[in-house]
Amino acid sequence: MAVLLVACSAVVAGAKSFAAIGQWATDAPQDTLARLGARTATVFGVRVAPSGATIRRVILRTCPGGLADLLGSEPDGSGTVAVDGKSARGSRHRTTAAAHLLAAMTGSGQTVTQLRVPDKTNEITCFAALLAPYDLTGMTVTADALHTQRDHARFLVETKKAHYALTVKRNQKGLYEQLRTLPWQQATARFYDRSTGHGRWETRVVQALTVTDLGVDFPHAVQVAKIVRHRTTVITGKRARETVYVITDLTSRQASPERIAQIVRSQWVIENRLHFVRDTAYREDASKIRTGHGPENMATLRSFAVNQLRAVGHTNIAAGLREMSLRPFERPLTLLGLS
């Protein structure tokens, strides 16, 4: 346990690799090691920091599912939970594929858990296993078009007593065509939204139809939303238009077009506030950790650090890490409640 506490503290202080965690431990003063529970080696009670080799061995061998559940945030009280995957590109080695990690995040930006997708399979097979341990009653789970699967919808509604809002694109040709040809001209519920960001202007028009009696072939489907996005690149003036459909078991009373737009945008949280942050603040894609459970456990440690910083009000994680690094043996431990 002391080794994992050392690793958590070092990563909160900004450590990006096994070597950096080992160096942090080596430089840690005696009072810090005592607070972390490091072992004593002499009759004088001198604390001994775990070696770099020990830290590496423990992280490589620790059960990734147990660590993710231990360091994750419970989704209690969250209106939405987003599911999305990311490959740790630097973990690719010769004929070995990069570790692909499937994660769940609340709408407030707290990582719930993650798991590594086994080689020679895909995210679809891991969806239920990722969410199974958690009480999702009344929450709305969002996911990209890959997870618009009938089994997923049944699992969420029938087993987890949750709701779903799933994107439908052309990968589901039959369903997509069915939604495209719905009587959208009869849709009276609409919502318009405009935003600026990432170097572009975007306008979204959301229409919603109740489809209970329209023969839509998808479990528990009650509403379908049609979202038309108009994007203009600020610098070039280039314009683009995209139409996507969202299918949900939420009724029109539970989710107006405006609420559906908010739910759909919550799916972007996991990309912008987890994957992007780990890449920029921790240079995750450049990490060469490849063996054992190293890729997924280091990703879990990074997500844990982001959770802790966000929980105390840091909206800019890079700035939060800089603040921690100014007093690296005090502030991380205070943040983690190890005083």
Side-chain angles (χ1 to χ4, degrees), residues 289-302:
I289 296 173
R290 298 165 174 158
T291 58
H293 298 307
E296 57 265 48
N297 283 343
M298 281 300 296
T300 292
L301 291 172
R302 295 170 188 135

Side-chain angles (χ1 to χ4, degrees), residues 316-330:
N316 185 318
I317 300 302
L321 290 173
R322 287 194 295 272
E323 181 180 311
M324 294 295 111
S325 69
L326 294 175
R327 293 167 62 183
F329 303 114
E330 300 174 25

Side-chain angles (χ1 to χ4, degrees), residues 68 71-74 103-106 109-114 270 273-274 278 299-300 303-304 306-307 310:
L71 299 183
S73 175
E74 288 290 333
M105 174 175 263
T106 68
Q110 290 287 310
T111 301
V112 176
T113 189
Q114 75 167 19
I270 196 167
R273 303 188 71 184
L274 180 63
R278 290 202 320 232
T300 292
S303 296
F304 172 73
V306 172
N307 277 1
R310 195 163 279 145

Side-chain angles (χ1 to χ4, degrees), residues 154-170:
R154 294 188 187 97
F155 166 73
L156 291 172
V157 175
E158 298 170 14
T159 303
K160 303 305 292 180
K161 310 304 178 186
H163 301 290
Y164 65 81
L166 302 172
T167 302
V168 180
K169 292 185 178 180
R170 295 183 185 273

